[in-house]
Amino acid sequence: MQEDSRRLVLDHLRAVTPALESLVQNAGTLAGWGVEMADRLMAGQRLLAAGNGGSAAEAQHLTAELVGRFDGEREPFSAISLHAESSAVTAIANDYGFDHMFARQVSAHGRDGDILILLSTSGKSPNLLHAVDAARAAGVTTWALTGPGPNPLADRVDDYVAIDAKSANAQEGHLIALHAICRAFDAEVHRRREAQR
């Protein structure tokens, strides 16, 4: 029994490799997102983030890194994890349906020049697809981290990184991607602050 469990664990760990390879292939995109986020958030724009289930937790992880801090001390930046607004989420889902839970919030909070980042291992969640439509109408730039492509979310957003791995490993890859984005973001904020001295 224990040997079977060990084999399953090893199989899972080996399946992380394709996720890492996908991220390495998309390093330029992730770095670009970090620099673009720094540019916009330092100018007063905000980041909105959304996902379902484990992807919601990943979205909230990102917003915590921006409002709090990632590696070193710096000022806080505006970042809102849409699923975490529990009263709004339940009211909107009740009144408008679960599929519009994020779109309604994007319409309320999103401003021209803001960024909406969406996380989904399937890339098929209707509530994220509707959020993209609401973002487009508000002039909000849309990015997505997904599982394998092609998928509807990757096809609809302005830019995406599709991680070619099993669902659980793709989601693990999303956290690595978010930390990579934060690394580029913090470096760009630091570079600009030093240039202003």
Side-chain angles (χ1 to χ4, degrees):
M1 180 69 97
Q2 186 171 348
E3 186 56 36
D4 288 344
S5 296
R6 182 177 181 279
R7 182 182 48 78
L8 289 170
V9 167
L10 286 172
D11 288 348
H12 176 84
L13 295 174
R14 288 183 183 114
V16 173
T17 301
L20 290 173
E21 289 172 353
S22 286
L23 292 173
V24 169
Q25 291 169 6
N26 287 282
T29 298
L30 297 173
W33 287 3
V35 171
E36 183 69 19
M37 274 175 41
D39 182 53
R40 295 199 193 190
L41 272 58
M42 291 180 80
Q45 305 306 129
R46 68 179 57 126
L47 179 93
L48 306 176
N52 294 296
S55 294
E58 302 278 7
Q60 195 165 354
H61 190 121
L62 173 61
T63 59
E65 301 285 22
L66 296 172
V67 176
R69 66 181 186 179
F70 178 57
D71 265 344
E73 193 58 45
R74 59 149 163 76
E75 69 267 37
F77 291 94
S78 181
I80 302 170
S81 191
L82 300 179
H83 77 278
E85 295 289 328
S86 58
S87 294
V89 163
T90 55
I92 295 166
N94 184 63
D95 295 343
Y96 298 95
F98 189 80
D99 288 356
H100 297 280
M101 180 174 73
F102 296 133
R104 184 93 176 163
Q105 291 183 80
V106 170
S107 295
H109 298 302
R111 302 291 182 266
D112 187 47
D114 287 351
I115 299 168
L116 172 66
I117 186 164
L118 302 166
L119 293 89
S120 173
T121 56
S122 72
K124 298 175 183 176
S125 302
N127 58 5
L128 300 181
L129 297 173
H130 287 298
V132 174
D133 297 337
R136 185 166 288 115
V140 173
T141 298
T142 54
W143 298 337
L145 289 171
T146 75
N151 61 69
L153 185 58
D155 291 342
R156 197 172 294 194
V157 294
D158 295 313
D159 202 4
Y160 70 92
V161 170
I163 297 180
D164 190 18
K166 295 176 182 178
S167 182
N169 300 114
Q171 193 165 79
E172 291 159 349
H174 288 174
L175 179 57
I176 296 170
L178 295 177
H179 281 167
I181 294 165
C182 287
R183 182 84 56 205
F185 175 85
D186 275 13
E188 184 64 11
V189 169
H190 179 74
R191 186 190 70 76
R192 292 180 184 217
R193 290 297 182 230
E194 286 297 308
Q196 291 169 355
R197 290 179 194 268

